[in-house]
Amino acid sequence: MITVHHLNNSRSQRVLWLLEELGLPYEVKRYERDAKTSLAPPELRQVHPLGKSPVITDGALTVAESGAILEYLVDRYGQGRLKPTGEQDLLHYRYFMHFAEGSAMPPLVMKLVFNKIKRTPMPFFVKPIAKGIADKVLAGFVQPNIDAQLKFLDGELAARPWFAGAEFTAADVQMSFPVEAAAARGGNLSSYPKLADFLARIHARPAYQKALQRGGPYSLMS
């Protein structure tokens, strides 16, 4: 039996979604973020030394990292599903399986961190300096990178229905988190209609809805 060590409001939600798309049986072991720090609880270190989610156990195997988990599940249990076979589509598939965390998420995480810095209590004489630095980094580096990536992704979906090609694949599951994070942290996607349509289509999928029922409330910090 596959066990998903599921942290609330995290990347592990897309692991549940993929399992539902594949129709695989699985168990969910829940972990809750610390209310003050938003960090994962120390119990997760008993599953993996880094104490982060997502991580799954499958018999004696422990697999961590979103992309590695999705590829493991598709390759071991997919029976040809959710992975393209054509050369060009397979290149797109591999690219977006890595792009999601390697390129898309870093500036979104930076935006989360610098916005949190601006809201963090600190001595009154330090706050204007910290806020000024955070605003400059956000305006000069973080947001331009996010905008460039959103424009790129919108163009990719204008060229084909899904990130890897004409069919829905695990690459779309992998890309769901950065697109949802961008919508939460970067404002609405009205300037990027293909990305907005992508979110509407994945949210309407029955497997996505079932995963929400299994995983519980799901929202991304802004």
Side-chain angles (χ1 to χ4, degrees):
M1 175 65 72
I2 298 166
T3 299
V4 181
H5 298 270
H6 176 57
L7 181 65
N8 63 307
N9 298 333
S10 77
R11 292 159 167 82
S12 57
Q13 183 63 40
R14 59 186 166 185
V15 176
L16 304 182
W17 176 23
L18 182 75
L19 287 164
E20 292 291 346
E21 291 282 357
L22 291 172
L24 297 176
Y26 64 94
E27 296 177 342
V28 179
K29 186 170 183 181
R30 300 176 186 278
Y31 303 81
E32 294 293 320
R33 294 181 182 275
D34 183 275
K36 291 183 178 180
T37 66
S38 297
L39 298 176
E43 290 81 4
L44 262 173
R45 292 195 184 95
Q46 298 173 15
V47 186
H48 188 276
L50 291 180
K52 295 180 180 293
S53 181
V55 59
I56 67 167
T57 49
D58 186 10
L61 290 174
T62 299
V63 187
E65 288 292 335
S66 303
I69 293 170
L70 298 192
E71 290 194 87
Y72 167 79
L73 293 172
V74 167
D75 290 345
R76 180 160 185 173
Y77 298 108
Q79 299 179 330
R81 294 172 294 166
L82 301 185
K83 183 177 181 178
T85 55
E87 182 179 10
Q88 189 61 52
D89 288 355
L90 191 57
L91 284 173
H92 288 312
Y93 174 87
R94 287 173 176 157
Y95 177 79
F96 284 108
M97 289 295 286
H98 292 272
F99 175 89
E101 295 294 336
S103 293
M105 282 308 300
L108 291 165
V109 172
M110 289 182 68
K111 183 166 187 176
L112 178 69
V113 170
F114 278 100
N115 280 335
K116 190 171 183 178
I117 288 172
K118 294 197 297 181
R119 298 192 297 264
T120 299
M122 62 186 74
F124 74 92
F125 55 88
V126 175
K127 194 172 184 66
I129 299 172
K131 184 178 182 300
I133 293 172
D135 285 338
K136 284 188 176 181
V137 174
L138 287 167
F141 177 76
V142 176
Q143 194 59 51
N145 271 276
I146 292 174
D147 292 341
Q149 293 198 60
L150 293 177
K151 183 178 179 180
F152 164 68
L153 294 174
D154 202 64
E156 291 292 293
L157 289 175
R160 52 191 178 275
W162 299 100
F163 279 107
E167 302 295 331
F168 175 84
T169 69
D172 299 296
V173 178
Q174 178 75 335
M175 283 298 300
S176 66
F177 192 83
V179 177
E180 288 177 327
R185 298 169 195 173
N188 65 63
L189 297 178
S190 58
S191 298
Y192 309 100
K194 295 300 182 181
L195 284 176
D197 178 65
F198 170 79
L199 280 187
R201 285 185 288 138
I202 64 172
H203 290 167
R205 292 181 72 87
Y208 186 98
Q209 295 297 322
K210 289 180 182 178
L212 288 180
Q213 293 172 12
R214 292 292 301 271
Y218 173 60
S219 63
L220 295 179
M221 296 172 288
S222 57

